[in-house]
């Protein structure tokens, strides 16, 4: 894209700057539109599973319901509690929403369609996603209210707990791919199994890791059955109880942007990303970004399916799953995968 702007006579520096801004907008604007539509899809899936109609009034088939909800919160008054720390109170939702968008910079939509094709792309995702906990903990503390504070403590412990097992799971992927580059990880999955299946998820050693990563992603994004931070019966509405208007909407958008990011990571790290599932030449006639979006939608359907059907965990069950099940199992598979690769690649 830089070369395109240089063709208009601009210097390399200005061309690179404009190309970078254009790339950011090409990702951020469709993503925000996707978040609005995915909320509609989420509600439609829940309704179908409960034999209801779901949104069906605003716009054709209810497609404009999310935009109506957005307009409603935009027109509401922003109320800041008198005892709150005003600066931090307003900063917290901005952190959550911004961090949710930043990680998309290294997600490859096609072989050459990636905003920042850096060698440490996976480390960047881990670093950026770990910052999300600050938006949660600052919101709870700055509200100067006990229920948001309790929920923020609970959310922070939950997010940190599952990030540990996610780290071990991703090490297994990196050892197989031999790179932290996200595009390199996708290309490493080409013809991975039996010479025609594209995806580490088809590998018997990595399939359990893919399942654990999916479940950990639900816990990391605080989706049901791990939405203990919004347990209405005990915490009113969680760490964002005191928020209203656009500050609340930023949490709302950030949550769904994070869910979409987790779906994209599942598709990219384990199921071939923008590659077709099977190595067959006619399948490459379909653009890679369509394959990626199809896989993201499949994983989002799983997220919604689980939320509509699985009852909420108790908090002790949530922490037990993270520390006493996922952590030792992921550590065990890390040893198993590294041993297998040593035998197969080095012969030791």
């Amino acid at each position: 894209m830089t070369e395109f702007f240089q063709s208009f006579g601009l210097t390399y520096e200005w061309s690179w700057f404009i190309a970078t801004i254009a790339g950011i907008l090409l990702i951020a604007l469709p993503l925000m539109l996707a978040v609005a539509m995915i909320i509609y899809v989420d509600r439609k899936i829940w309704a179908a599973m409960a034999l209801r109609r779901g949104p069906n009034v605003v716009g054709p088939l209810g497609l404009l319901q999310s935009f109506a909800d957005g307009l409603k919160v935009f027109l509401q008054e922003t109320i800041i509690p008198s005892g709150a720390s005003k600066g931090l109170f307003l900063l917290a939702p901005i952190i959550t929403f911004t961090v949710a968008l930043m990680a998309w910079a290294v997600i490859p939509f096609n072989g050459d369609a990636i905003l920042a094709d850096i060698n440490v792309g996976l480390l960047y995702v881990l670093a950026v996603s770990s910052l999300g906990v600050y938006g949660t903990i600052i919101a709870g503390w700055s509200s100067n209210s006990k229920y948001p504070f309790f929920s923020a403590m609970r959310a922070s412990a939950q997010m940190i707990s599952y990030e540990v097992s996610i780290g071990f799971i991703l090490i297994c992927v990196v050892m197989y791919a031999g790179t932290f580059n996200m595009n390199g990880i996708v290309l490493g999955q080409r013809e991975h199994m039996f010479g025609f299946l594209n995806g580490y998820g088809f590998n018997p050693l990595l399939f359990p890791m893919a399942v654990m990563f999916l479940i950990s992603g639900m816990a990391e994004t605080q989706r049901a059955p791990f939405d203990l931070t919004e347990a209405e019966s005990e915490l009113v509405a969680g760490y964002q109880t005191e928020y209203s208007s656009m500050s609340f909407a930023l949490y709302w958008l950030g949550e769904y942007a994070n869910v979409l990011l987790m779906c994209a990571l599942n598709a990219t790290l384990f199921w071939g990303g923008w590659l077709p599932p099977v190595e067959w030449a006619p399948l490459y006639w379909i653009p890679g970004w369509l394959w990626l979006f199809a896989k993201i939608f499949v994983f989002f359907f799983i997220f919604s399916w689980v939320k509509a059907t699985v009852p909420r965990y108790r908090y002790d069950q949530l922490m037990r799953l993270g520390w006493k099940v996922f952590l030792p199992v992921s550590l065990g598979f890390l040893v198993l995968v590294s041993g297998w690769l040593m035998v197969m690649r080095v012969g030791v």
Side-chain angles (χ1 to χ4, degrees):
M1 193 181 290
T2 303
E3 291 79 6
F4 172 75
F5 288 108
Q6 280 184 298
S7 65
F8 291 99
L10 296 174
T11 63
Y12 174 80
E13 291 75 14
W14 275 108
S15 299
W16 176 86
F17 177 76
I18 296 172
T20 303
I21 296 299
I24 292 171
L25 292 177
L26 280 173
I27 293 175
L29 296 181
L31 178 61
M32 286 188 275
L33 177 63
V35 166
M37 297 314 300
I38 215 73
I39 293 172
Y40 166 81
V41 172
D42 209 13
R43 295 173 66 179
K44 276 291 190 182
I45 293 172
W46 301 340
M49 292 188 178
L51 300 180
R52 294 183 290 105
R53 294 185 65 188
N56 61 84
V57 175
V58 185
L61 303 176
L63 284 168
L64 300 180
Q65 182 64 55
S66 295
F67 299 98
D69 292 338
L71 180 63
K72 178 183 70 176
V73 295
F74 179 74
L75 296 176
Q76 287 177 344
E77 179 185 0
T78 300
I79 299 172
I80 301 176
S82 58
S85 177
K86 185 175 180 179
L88 292 175
F89 185 82
L90 295 175
L91 179 64
I94 296 173
I95 292 174
T96 297
F97 182 66
T98 304
V99 166
L101 295 181
M102 285 171 60
W104 285 89
V106 295
I107 299 296
F109 294 90
N110 210 331
D112 54 355
I114 179 171
L115 180 61
D117 193 13
I118 56 178
N119 291 331
V120 289
L122 189 55
L123 287 179
Y124 171 84
V125 171
L126 281 174
V128 168
S129 61
S130 66
L131 294 176
V133 70
Y134 288 105
T136 300
I137 195 70
I138 291 173
W141 183 85
S142 64
S143 296
N144 196 27
S145 175
K146 63 179 180 179
Y147 287 115
F149 186 67
F150 288 160
S151 177
M153 291 288 99
R154 181 180 285 187
S156 302
Q158 175 176 330
M159 294 167 76
I160 292 169
S161 299
Y162 281 86
E163 279 176 2
V164 177
S165 56
I166 284 177
F168 286 126
I169 292 168
L170 296 184
I171 290 174
C172 296
V173 174
V174 169
M175 287 194 297
Y176 256 99
T179 178
F180 283 99
N181 179 275
M182 296 293 282
N183 226 358
I185 291 173
V186 171
L187 293 173
Q189 298 176 65
R190 192 167 186 173
E191 301 179 356
H192 179 68
M193 288 299 294
F194 309 118
F196 68 94
L197 292 177
N198 299 328
Y200 290 140
F202 296 110
N203 188 323
L205 273 179
L206 291 180
F207 178 74
M209 298 289 95
V211 173
M212 287 172 55
F213 186 80
L214 176 64
I215 298 172
S216 297
M218 293 179 187
E220 180 75 9
T221 54
Q222 298 152 29
R223 289 277 291 189
F226 307 111
D227 56 339
L228 276 301
T229 58
E230 298 177 16
E232 296 88 352
S233 61
E234 50 189 275
L235 290 173
V236 187
Y239 54 87
Q240 73 272 44
T241 299
E242 303 292 345
Y243 283 88
S244 61
S245 187
M246 283 307 295
S247 55
F248 173 77
L250 287 177
Y251 275 116
W252 190 35
L253 294 171
E255 176 187 341
Y256 276 91
N258 275 322
V259 169
L260 285 177
L261 174 64
M262 276 297 169
C263 294
L265 287 176
N266 272 284
T268 301
L269 298 175
F270 291 100
W271 301 102
W274 50 266
L275 295 173
V278 177
E279 190 66 18
W280 186 40
L283 294 180
Y284 283 92
W285 298 344
I286 301 173
W289 58 271
L290 281 179
W291 284 117
L292 179 64
F293 288 174
K295 293 172 185 177
I296 289 174
F297 181 78
V298 168
F299 283 108
F300 185 79
F301 177 81
I302 294 172
F303 270 66
S304 297
W305 183 9
V306 170
K307 183 166 185 172
T309 55
V310 180
R312 180 180 286 145
Y313 271 41
R314 291 198 318 265
Y315 195 69
D316 62 304
Q317 294 173 325
L318 170 75
M319 298 304 282
R320 185 187 304 120
L321 180 67
W323 288 105
K324 293 187 175 182
V325 178
F326 280 7
L327 179 59
V329 171
S330 60
L331 192 56
F333 267 91
L334 175 61
V335 175
L336 189 62
V337 168
S338 59
W340 173 258
L341 290 176
M342 282 291 288
V343 170
M344 297 303 295
R345 295 180 179 179
V346 185
V348 177

